[in-house]
């Protein structure tokens, strides 16, 4: 099969990602072989490709927002059939026995493994996924619309819950890409007032179109104090900006897996009055089930821009440069 491979982590424009021939993967006893139909483009893919995250697997194939069909079944797999549509997401496997898994916090499992980082992902004709971590998908939504829900949507949902937004509260979203524009739809459906702070004019227009009360530059102050804020942009210098925008007792949730260094914080203006900073680490399968159900109930839909899978480098470059709003999705043209 043909698959993209990170040959040497570095700037994507300098050839760090290359289209190669790889063997079709053989599913383990508890795994599904999945023929990839589409794969969403996540900023984490860019971090893996460019070396912002440490290398976990040499020559890894990125991609963890996979929608495909079952093309093979491991010997121990039950409950799936050939040709069934399934999704593969970021969280690939946990040990299921550690203290974190036992208490329902499998996202903190020290043995956790991730699609497109520890194992080859969906920038390929085929990939594999442990059956216990494969997602069943609603039948009335097309492949392209579903793909961004499988990471951008799920992580945005966990970030929203970590932000502890009170009912009817005021929420600030810093950065407005694939994850934020899905998170905003959930928050709005639940009665929140949403203020968007982001650098891109197109992203600000999308925010207003989706129902945001305001959309301003990332470093501007929102028109009113915030009960909660979520930082989606990987820019550590926005942490004090967002903290200053919080009302007393407000919570800042940091959604990204990678963040540039945070500057020194001033206690009086940025942390006093019981303001909190919380990080977000991956997600649990329960998060995924809850979000997919909410998305179906409230009609949450990604704004998508499609690229052929053969143009993955272009899609990642456009993502890094902020050339599109919403989310990019790669459509398999390799088969």
């Amino acid at each position: 099969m043909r698959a993209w491979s990170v040959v040497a982590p570095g700037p994507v424009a300098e050839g760090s990602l290359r289209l190669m021939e790889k063997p079709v993967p053989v599913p383990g006893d508890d795994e599904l072989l999945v023929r990839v139909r589409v794969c969403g483009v996540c900023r984490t893919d860019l971090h893996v490709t460019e070396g912002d995250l440490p290398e976990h697997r040499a020559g890894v194939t990125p991609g963890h927002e996979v929608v495909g069909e079952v093309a093979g079944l491991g010997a121990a797999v039950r409950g799936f059939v050939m040709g069934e549509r399934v999704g593969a997401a970021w969280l690939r496997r946990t040990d299921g026995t550690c203290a974190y898994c036992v208490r329902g916090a499998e996202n903190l499992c020290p043995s956790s493994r991730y699609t497109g980082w520890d194992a080859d992902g969906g920038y390929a004709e085929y990939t594999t996924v442990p059956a216990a971590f494969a997602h069943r998908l609603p039948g009335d939504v097309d492949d392209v619309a579903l793909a961004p829900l499988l990471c951008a949507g799920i992580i945005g949902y966990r970030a929203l819950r970590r932000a502890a937004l009170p009912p009817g509260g005021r929420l600030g979203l810093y950065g407005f890409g694939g994850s934020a524009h899905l998170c905003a739809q959930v928050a709005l459906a639940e009665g929140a007032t949403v203020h968007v702070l982001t650098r891109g004019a197109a992203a600000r227009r999308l925010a207003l179109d989706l129902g945001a009360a305001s959309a301003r530059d990332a470093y501007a102050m929102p028109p009113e104090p915030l009960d909660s804020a979520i930082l989606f942009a990987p820019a550590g210098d926005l942490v004090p900006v967002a903290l200053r925008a919080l009302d007393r007792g407000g919570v800042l949730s940091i959604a990204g897996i990678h963040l540039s260094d945070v500057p020194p914080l001033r206690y009086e203006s940025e942390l006093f009055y019981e303001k909190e900073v919380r990080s977000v680490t991956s997600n649990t399968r329960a998060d995924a089930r809850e979000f997919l159900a909410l998305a179906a109930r409230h009609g949450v839909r990604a704004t998508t821009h499609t690229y052929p899978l053969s143009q993955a480098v272009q899609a990642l470059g456009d993502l890094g440069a902020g050339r599109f709003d919403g989310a990019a999705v790669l459509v398999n043209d390799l088969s």
Side-chain angles (χ1 to χ4, degrees):
M1 70 171 185
R2 288 192 292 171
W4 289 96
S5 178
V6 180
V7 293
V12 69
E14 297 178 11
S16 56
L17 191 66
R18 189 177 302 164
L19 190 58
M20 305 177 67
E21 294 285 334
K22 284 188 174 185
V24 174
V26 177
D29 284 351
D30 66 344
E31 294 180 342
L32 307 173
L33 175 66
V34 177
R35 187 181 74 81
V36 176
R37 294 183 183 176
V38 303
C39 185
V41 178
C42 180
R43 187 166 292 275
T44 302
D45 301 335
L46 191 62
H47 293 321
V48 169
T49 300
E50 297 199 324
D52 297 322
L53 296 176
E55 186 178 73
H56 279 195
R57 177 185 175 93
V60 72
T61 295
H64 56 273
E65 295 179 342
V66 182
V67 177
E69 59 188 48
V70 176
L73 302 164
V77 172
R78 302 291 182 270
F80 289 90
V81 297
M82 296 288 288
E84 180 178 356
R85 188 170 70 157
V86 295
W90 177 236
L91 184 64
R92 176 182 176 84
R93 190 183 291 277
T94 61
D95 62 27
T97 59
C98 70
Y100 303 100
C101 287
V102 169
R103 77 182 195 211
E106 65 182 6
N107 60 308
L108 302 179
C109 175
S111 301
S112 57
R113 296 293 180 265
Y114 299 94
T115 310
W117 193 19
D118 296 293
D120 287 342
Y123 287 24
E125 292 181 66
Y126 291 90
T127 190
T128 60
V129 59
F133 288 81
H135 296 284
R136 299 186 185 278
L137 303 174
D140 59 345
V141 183
D142 68 53
D143 294 345
V144 169
L146 277 170
L149 304 187
L150 291 169
C151 177
I154 296 167
I155 294 296
Y157 174 73
R158 184 170 185 86
L160 180 61
R161 294 298 178 247
R162 291 281 291 162
L165 182 67
R170 301 158 296 175
L171 175 67
L173 301 180
Y174 287 81
F176 203 70
S179 194
H181 90 292
L182 295 168
C183 174
Q185 292 176 60
V186 175
L188 288 164
E190 294 181 339
T193 298
V194 174
H195 299 287
V196 169
L197 299 305
T198 192
R199 65 180 183 177
R204 292 197 291 270
R205 287 194 296 272
L206 175 61
L208 294 173
D209 289 344
L210 290 174
S214 72
R216 299 182 176 185
D217 182 77
Y219 294 88
M221 288 294 287
E224 60 182 336
L226 304 172
D227 298 300
S228 303
I230 305 173
L231 178 58
F232 287 100
D237 61 349
L238 282 173
V239 170
V241 175
L243 285 169
R244 287 194 294 272
L246 289 177
D247 204 351
R248 300 181 181 208
V251 175
L252 171 63
S253 172
I254 301 176
I257 191 173
H258 169 76
L259 188 71
S260 60
D261 288 344
V262 179
L265 299 176
R266 294 187 178 90
Y267 182 68
E268 257 187 68
S269 59
E270 293 154 8
L271 289 172
F272 196 48
Y273 295 121
E274 299 191 352
K275 297 180 182 182
E276 295 183 43
V277 180
R278 298 178 178 179
S279 66
V280 178
T281 300
S282 184
N283 63 274
T284 67
R285 283 171 287 176
D287 293 329
R289 289 191 294 269
E290 290 168 12
F291 169 70
L292 290 172
L294 275 174
R297 184 183 316 145
H298 295 305
V300 173
R301 293 290 184 269
T303 296
T304 55
H305 304 270
T306 58
Y307 294 74
L309 184 50
S310 59
Q311 293 181 17
V313 169
Q314 181 68 51
L316 284 173
D318 288 350
L319 171 65
R323 295 192 186 103
F324 55 77
D325 56 7
V329 179
L330 302 173
V331 179
N332 186 0
D333 65 334
L334 303 180
S335 300

